[in-house]
Amino acid sequence: MLILKSLTRLGPMHGYGIAQHIQQLSEAVLQVEEGSLYPALQRMLIKGWIAAEWGQSANNRRARYYRLTPAGKKQLGVELSEFEKVVRAITRVIQPA
Amino acid sequence: MDWLGELWRRLLFALRRRQFDRDLEEEMRFHLEMQAAESGAALARRKFGNVALLQEDSREAWGWVATDRLVQDIRYAARALRKSPGFAGVVILTLALGIGVNTAIFSFVDRLLLRPLPFPESNRLASLNFRSTRSAYVWDDLSYPDYGYFRDHNNVFSGLAAYGGVDANIRFGNQTEKVSGEVVSANYFGVLEVSPVFGRSFRAEEDAVPGRDPVVVLSHNLWRRRLGGDLGIVGRRIAINDVNFTVVGIAPPGFEGLRLDRKERPEFWVPAMMYPVVCWFAEADDLQHNWGNHWLSATGRLKPGVTLAQAEANLSGLTEQLKASPWRIWNDAADGPLQSTALLVPANQARVALGSRRGVVTFLGMLLAVVGLVLLIACANVASLTLARAVKRRKEIGVRLALGAGRGRILQQLITESLLLSLMGGAAGLVVALFTSQALVGYQRPFRMELLLEAGLDGRILAFGLALSILTGLLFGIIPLRQAFQLEVMPALKTDSLRSGARGFGMRNAFVVAQVALSLVLLVGASLFVRTLRNAKATDVTLDASRVLLIDLNLAERKYENARVQLFYASLVDRLRTLPGVERVALVARVPMGGGKNSLDIESRAGSWKANADFNIVSDEYFQTIGLPLVRGRVLNRGDRRGATGVAVINEVMARRFWPSEDPIGKQFQFLKPPRLVEVVGVIRDGRFIDYRDTVRPCFYIPLAQAYGADPFISSVVNRMNLEVRTVGNPVRLATGIRKEIHALDEDLPAGQMQTLESYRDAGLGQERLSATLLSGLAVLAALIVAIGLYGVLAFAVAQRTREIGICMALGAPSRQVLRRVLLDALALVGAGIAIGFIAALLLARLISSLLYGVSSTDPITYAGVAGILIVVGELAALLPALRASRVDPVLALRYE
């Protein structure tokens, strides 16, 4: 979900960029492990939520850019609403009565 | 659609994996560099971790890792096997044999017993049979009125169809071909829910009046084979037995009716009311009212919701009512009232007449058990070989464990290797299966009856072969795995592999013992069947059966009158006598061991006894032709002609039974129907009519010259005589000459197959010959496999104990003692196997005692002989390793390593 959201914000972005983005926005609370980032990206490629193509990075290096596909957008919607449901539920439980 | 896209992407990955790998690598390098620029190379690498591992994790997401490993394992296994071609060859050959014969026998089990009928909802079809409540007798034949009664009065079938087999001559252009077909009720195709591919099936009104509606449905095969697949044939006419029939339909390809116990596949179907036209002996039959002529079988489709048991109860009720019917068998048989009741069986289980099914099941069961044993022996042998290999490979496996291979991974690899071997064995086994099943079909009547057998592999059989291969692979593959599993890394690496195999050794001994036991069972079976065959052949009374030609003459089919029959036989015998090479010529109604007999009720002249006896009609010179010796009195001669005193020659059983302490010559007895008085002129040795198991009953022979025109029953027998010609030298050379003489008298007479009495008798012994040949072949092979196994174990043991033997010899043990020691080891193994095998054989042989003849299933000579053979085989196999052990040079052995 976080990766998909980042891609909507950033547009096409490479793996390193996604990791940096999540880390910065969450003010370093969420450390994205490379160990889970790349397998996750591969899984999403299979599912067809994201597509990959090679492009130039800001410092003129070849880098693989991922972008969201329409299926990915739909999936993001599904996951966000799921997430909100959970958050609401948790909030209700921990709220002082 | 989602999963489709996913599948496509996965496939794409598999195809372009090299590029994907490069992409991934570059992507991660980029990541690292970016991070290094930010926080320094060392830190970046520490944070990122193991690049190769991460790449692998990412790749795993694509789900191809398992496949990758499999491919890797297969490659590795293939390489390992190529390195030891001897081992691979022996294993594949052994397995091919085991799997092959099993697949072949299974193909017959499947076709005869398991495979359901290829009709819609065939499990709702039920075959109508009857059983006696007083004996085990079961039958399924009905007369047409019986069938009509059950069809019209039952309320459990949505339709009850009847069918009966028939042979007829069909004319195609100017050729006539004898074709098998079926006479069926009009609803036959409807009940089976089979529709002709072209045209239609029969209408109800076409099966209403005898002989009125000549319509026929042809088989797809006949239509293609003889009519070139011409669609215009529907509506046209073809001549069956010289009567024009209109072709109304073509049956679907492969349709072969309900039954497999037929000589040939049915190729045409006509309405039951056409029976008198297509069947040569039913011409005058009053089909609709003759309750005595039962020639039909019936199969019905159960109404929805009706169970088999309910239907059977309903039909049994009808059977009760039938007892008031005009046909006497329903209320009265020769030996008192026949208590019969309906027996309903799923049609899928009645493809062979129920009465014969038990014999088929016993025989096939025996064959399956035998080939199962062969497979077990093969598995034990392969497991033992694999075990030896596993011991040799300890070091290799130890190295791989030390390099960090997971035990699970190594097990997977070893199992892959076993499966690869067993699958290769299975593939080779298919060739063996094809060969075996063809050989089996080549035997005439291996099931003691006509059966539609075919040799061939289809999907079901291939699936069985595959499943069996995998099972086999797991069976022999798993046992040696324990070794690899318990292997400890350090000792495996350190010690010499030759000294550390003691553990596998006990297990290999156990395998040898098991193999000896199993092959003992096979050898016992084989020798029992060989003796059965020999005993069965010995019951044939014919002298030099290979020199007597047998020709079946069917004059009934030519519709000769009595006078013409008489003239034909007389001229034929005269003509043949003059042929060079012919020694004797005779005519006989029933050939010994020919599968059938005739009998008549007779009584003594004084009426002191009444009995039923077999009879045979023979021309003079018959006894000389087959060489049946005369016990007393005289044989028949030319003087016993029509008008002279009626005479008969009787067999020994009849003489003993009716004239126990008197001389039967000159005594008289009479037939009850037609009344006729005959005088006994001679006593002849006993002969058997049906087969070698037939109990010899009282039997008399009457001269052909006195049998003409006596009464319709005897005339019908006279019309179906067999010609027997005793020849000097090779009888086959005379066949053409004899055929020419027959055709000179009647060129349209279909002179059937010509064969010697020997091959005729052997054809009747199809099952016995098959059992004897198959079991002997397999038993010899099993003994060979055992010899190889034993040799392997001993050779290995000697190699392992070279040091020990060397020490013994250095301490002064004579080499003769070493030799004896190894031979005794072998004897101990073989002896243990024989002991176990004896018990197993005694238990198993009891099950086949119904297939044996003249030899007990516990025959001590057989058991002792077989044990002797195995001991000799075992010692021969042990001789080479024993000699090698006795020649160990103590100096070399001690310096070894």
Side-chain angles (χ1 to χ4, degrees):
Chain A
M1 179 184 74
L2 292 179
I3 296 173
L4 292 175
K5 188 72 197 164
S6 311
L7 286 177
T8 47
R9 289 244 175 89
L10 299 169
M13 182 45 69
H14 43 72
Y16 179 71
I18 295 170
Q20 291 296 321
H21 176 80
I22 294 175
Q23 211 167 319
Q24 279 162 19
L25 278 191
S26 67
E27 289 160 357
V29 173
L30 297 176
Q31 290 274 346
V32 180
E33 288 278 340
E34 288 78 0
S36 38
L37 172 68
Y38 284 99
L41 282 172
Q42 297 298 319
R43 273 194 292 276
M44 283 192 260
L45 273 175
I46 296 169
K47 293 280 182 200
W49 297 339
I50 57 176
E53 57 211 22
W54 288 95
Q56 293 293 118
S57 78
N59 57 354
N60 265 345
R61 284 269 286 114
R62 225 166 86 87
R64 183 137 77 152
Y65 281 86
Y66 296 93
R67 74 183 155 72
L68 216 55
T69 62
K73 275 185 195 135
K74 212 161 72 193
Q75 181 64 24
L76 179 62
V78 172
E79 291 202 4
L80 280 178
S81 67
E82 279 292 311
F83 179 70
E84 269 162 34
K85 237 193 285 175
V86 173
V87 168
R88 265 204 306 278
I90 293 175
T91 324
R92 262 203 299 279
V93 171
I94 61 174
Q95 241 167 16
Chain B
M1 282 319 278
D2 255 12
W3 62 269
L4 210 70
E6 192 175 322
L7 190 72
W8 166 245
R9 280 185 290 273
R10 272 182 203 267
L11 272 177
L12 212 63
F13 173 81
L15 294 174
R16 297 209 203 129
R17 57 176 320 151
R18 206 154 284 163
Q19 196 195 328
F20 274 82
D21 279 349
R22 263 205 315 273
D23 286 356
L24 207 59
E25 199 188 326
E26 189 172 345
E27 182 173 27
M28 287 183 181
R29 203 165 52 230
F30 169 76
H31 189 117
L32 266 174
E33 277 172 21
M34 293 293 281
Q35 211 157 40
E38 205 172 282
S39 53
L43 195 66
R45 208 165 302 133
R46 202 161 57 227
K47 185 162 172 283
F48 199 86
N50 185 340
V51 180
L53 195 66
L54 188 51
Q55 276 181 13
E56 224 154 72
D57 281 349
S58 305
R59 225 181 359 230
E60 207 161 324
W62 290 94
W64 288 96
V65 174
T67 330
D68 271 2
R69 286 197 182 148
L70 190 66
V71 172
Q72 239 174 42
D73 285 350
I74 291 175
R75 270 205 206 122
Y76 186 83
R79 221 164 36 227
L81 292 180
R82 215 174 310 139
K83 261 173 60 187
S84 40
F87 165 78
V90 169
V91 167
I92 290 173
L93 210 68
T94 317
L95 290 177
L97 184 85
I99 296 172
V101 289
N102 273 277
T103 309
I105 300 301
F106 174 78
S107 73
F108 292 104
V109 174
D110 183 49
R111 177 149 167 84
L112 293 175
L113 303 175
L114 301 181
R115 185 176 304 212
L117 287 158
F119 311 135
E121 288 190 78
S122 62
N123 56 339
R124 299 293 294 162
L125 290 172
S127 147
L128 178 55
N129 296 263
F130 302 94
R131 71 181 161 83
S132 159
T133 50
R134 290 190 318 194
S135 67
Y137 185 54
V138 171
W139 69 99
D140 75 329
D141 40 346
L142 294 165
S143 70
Y144 195 84
D146 286 331
Y147 161 64
Y149 181 81
F150 284 109
R151 178 192 59 201
D152 299 336
H153 292 84
N154 83 78
N155 44 31
V156 290
F157 291 124
S158 59
L160 180 66
Y163 58 92
V166 73
D167 290 336
N169 295 308
I170 303 189
R171 187 169 282 279
F172 302 97
N174 49 12
Q175 276 180 305
T176 306
E177 188 181 328
K178 184 156 220 152
V179 179
S180 289
E182 277 184 330
V183 177
V184 299
S185 57
N187 61 358
Y188 179 72
F189 290 98
V191 168
L192 301 187
E193 292 185 11
V194 169
S195 341
V197 276
F198 304 112
R200 59 170 176 89
S201 54
F202 303 123
R203 300 194 178 110
E205 69 268 18
E206 284 167 343
D207 190 24
V209 181
R212 188 188 64 184
D213 301 280
V215 287
V216 60
V217 171
L218 298 178
S219 78
H220 197 267
N221 178 39
L222 185 71
W223 173 61
R224 293 284 297 273
R225 184 164 57 87
R226 294 310 303 247
L227 300 164
D230 173 17
L231 272 178
I233 192 69
V234 176
R236 286 223 302 268
R237 290 175 174 187
I238 59 169
I240 303 179
N241 287 356
D242 297 326
V243 174
N244 277 324
F245 277 70
T246 307
V247 178
V248 295
I250 308 292
F255 178 74
E256 53 181 20
L258 287 157
R259 297 291 280 269
L260 292 170
D261 48 353
R262 299 263 191 266
K263 194 171 182 181
E264 273 156 70
R265 244 161 264 281
E267 298 268 44
F268 69 90
W269 292 268
V270 296
M273 285 296 148
M274 298 309 289
Y275 184 54
V277 176
V278 291
C279 183
W280 56 266
F281 54 79
E283 202 168 12
D285 196 7
D286 179 6
L287 206 59
Q288 285 165 302
H289 303 101
N290 186 351
W291 292 76
N293 184 8
H294 11 141
W295 53 281
L296 285 168
S297 305
T299 291
R301 190 172 279 279
L302 293 171
K303 280 182 183 166
V306 175
T307 66
L308 208 62
Q310 286 164 351
E312 193 173 275
N314 177 258
L315 291 159
S316 293
L318 292 180
T319 316
E320 282 299 312
Q321 291 168 34
L322 253 185
K323 285 174 186 162
S325 77
W327 184 30
R328 72 181 181 95
I329 199 152
W330 290 106
N331 46 42
D332 177 42
D335 52 348
L338 180 72
Q339 298 296 321
S340 57
T341 181
L343 174 66
L344 216 54
V345 179
N348 282 330
Q349 289 163 33
R351 303 202 65 190
V352 174
L354 282 192
S356 332
R357 193 175 147 94
R358 167 166 285 222
V360 173
V361 171
T362 311
F363 186 51
L364 276 178
M366 190 272 292
L367 291 184
L368 262 189
V370 165
V371 294
L373 283 181
V374 172
L375 187 61
L376 275 181
I377 294 177
C379 268
N381 205 40
V382 172
S384 154
L385 284 173
T386 320
L387 210 57
R389 223 167 100 84
V391 172
K392 279 194 210 147
R393 285 173 72 182
R394 287 167 70 95
K395 209 164 188 170
E396 172 205 327
I397 292 170
V399 169
R400 290 172 63 193
L401 280 174
L403 286 178
R407 275 176 202 270
R409 194 75 187 76
I410 285 181
L411 287 188
Q412 190 188 336
Q413 199 270 318
L414 288 176
I415 289 181
T416 308
E417 209 172 295
S418 304
L419 284 179
L420 187 71
L421 272 175
S422 71
L423 286 175
M424 279 158 73
L430 291 182
V431 181
V432 176
L434 211 56
F435 181 77
T436 314
S437 54
Q438 248 149 19
L440 220 129
V441 171
Y443 280 88
Q444 281 159 311
R445 307 189 348 128
F447 294 91
R448 291 230 178 86
M449 58 172 159
E450 302 298 351
L451 272 183
L452 289 173
L453 293 176
E454 53 186 29
L457 305 171
D458 58 16
R460 282 170 70 100
I461 310 301
L462 288 178
F464 175 82
L466 183 70
L468 196 64
S469 308
I470 292 173
L471 195 73
T472 312
L474 292 178
L475 199 65
F476 76 75
I478 275 175
I479 301 164
L481 282 188
R482 246 189 44 200
Q483 288 241 314
F485 212 63
Q486 292 165 349
L487 193 68
E488 280 168 42
V489 180
M490 288 321 286
L493 285 179
K494 268 197 291 195
T495 28
D496 187 302
S497 61
L498 274 182
R499 265 198 304 179
S500 52
R503 214 173 341 153
F505 199 59
M507 213 191 286
R508 297 195 71 199
N509 281 349
F511 282 137
V512 169
V513 170
Q515 286 182 47
V516 171
L518 293 171
S519 67
L520 179 107
V521 174
L522 275 183
L523 279 168
V524 165
S527 59
L528 289 178
F529 277 110
V530 167
R531 293 184 61 184
T532 294
L533 178 63
R534 219 180 43 206
N535 293 342
K537 278 191 175 172
T539 59
D540 184 10
V541 287
T542 312
L543 194 72
D544 274 344
S546 63
R547 276 175 48 207
V548 182
L549 266 181
L550 172 72
I551 300 112
D552 171 29
L553 300 170
N554 188 349
L555 297 187
E557 202 171 336
R558 301 290 304 148
K559 306 194 175 102
Y560 279 7
E561 311 134 25
N562 265 324
R564 182 141 185 227
V565 172
Q566 201 171 345
L567 184 69
F568 177 87
Y569 285 146
S571 5
L572 183 62
V573 170
D574 283 342
R575 276 165 173 266
L576 293 180
R577 272 211 187 103
T578 61
L579 276 185
V582 170
E583 201 179 297
R584 303 262 185 190
V585 182
L587 291 156
V588 59
R590 288 294 189 179
V591 183
M593 328 259 284
K597 58 182 173 185
N598 301 109
S599 57
L600 272 178
D601 289 335
I602 54 169
E603 62 177 353
S604 72
R605 188 178 184 194
S608 54
W609 47 261
K610 216 181 253 190
N612 186 274
D614 299 335
F615 80 96
N616 208 344
I617 302 174
V618 297
S619 67
D620 54 304
E621 284 204 359
Y622 171 71
F623 300 115
Q624 296 95 316
T625 306
I626 68 161
L628 201 60
L630 186 71
V631 179
R632 57 188 307 138
R634 67 167 175 90
V635 292
L636 302 171
N637 60 38
R638 294 213 139 188
D640 302 318
R641 68 178 91 83
R642 205 163 179 197
T645 325
V647 296
V649 169
I650 62 174
N651 69 353
E652 293 166 289
V653 169
M654 182 154 168
R656 272 200 303 273
R657 173 89 47 92
F658 300 132
W659 296 280
S661 49
E662 307 165 72
D663 183 2
I665 308 297
K667 296 284 188 302
Q668 290 179 313
F669 65 92
Q670 52 195 345
F671 308 169
L672 291 181
K673 201 188 118 181
R676 179 177 186 181
L677 195 68
V678 293
E679 186 183 313
V680 177
V681 294
V683 179
I684 208 88
R685 276 269 298 281
D686 296 327
R688 287 163 206 241
F689 290 111
I690 293 186
D691 62 18
Y692 66 90
R693 285 167 192 271
D694 196 12
T695 42
V696 181
R697 299 211 311 153
C699 172
F700 59 93
Y701 300 79
I702 56 173
L704 174 65
Q706 294 181 350
Y708 295 117
D711 93 322
F713 171 54
I714 293 186
S715 287
S716 75
V717 178
V718 167
N719 283 345
R720 301 265 355 223
M721 298 290 277
N722 297 285
L723 179 67
E724 292 188 353
V725 182
R726 175 168 289 270
T727 63
V728 188
N730 184 0
V732 183
R733 277 212 315 265
L734 271 167
T736 342
I738 293 172
R739 208 179 283 270
K740 220 164 84 192
E741 294 299 329
I742 293 172
H743 284 152
L745 290 171
D746 180 349
E747 60 178 15
D748 287 331
L749 186 76
Q753 209 191 345
M754 250 179 238
Q755 55 186 336
T756 63
L757 275 181
E758 184 185 42
S759 68
Y760 181 77
R761 176 195 67 201
D762 285 352
L765 294 174
Q767 180 168 88
E768 288 71 16
R769 285 194 305 136
L770 175 72
S771 313
T773 319
L774 190 72
L775 257 80
S776 309
L778 291 177
V780 167
L781 268 165
L784 212 67
I785 294 176
V786 169
I788 294 173
L790 190 64
Y791 167 80
V793 166
L794 291 174
F796 194 67
V798 167
Q800 275 190 328
R801 283 159 51 184
T802 309
R803 250 174 89 108
E804 181 195 325
I805 295 168
I807 293 171
C808 286
M809 290 177 91
L811 290 177
S815 66
R816 213 169 344 110
Q817 197 180 333
V818 174
L819 183 84
R820 205 168 54 210
R821 178 80 228 143
V822 177
L823 289 180
L824 278 177
D825 277 355
L827 195 63
L829 288 178
V830 173
I834 287 175
I836 297 171
F838 267 163
I839 298 166
L842 280 171
L843 291 174
L844 287 173
R846 267 224 313 254
L847 301 177
I848 55 159
S849 53
S850 71
L851 299 173
L852 301 179
Y853 180 76
V855 54
S856 149
S857 66
T858 56
D859 183 57
I861 301 172
T862 305
Y863 281 72
V866 164
I869 292 174
L870 275 177
I871 290 174
V872 171
V873 168
E875 291 302 290
L876 281 178
L879 203 57
L880 209 61
L883 283 175
R884 202 178 299 148
S886 71
R887 290 193 194 128
V888 164
D889 183 339
V891 181
L892 275 183
L894 291 176
R895 246 197 252 141
Y896 195 75
E897 276 170 31

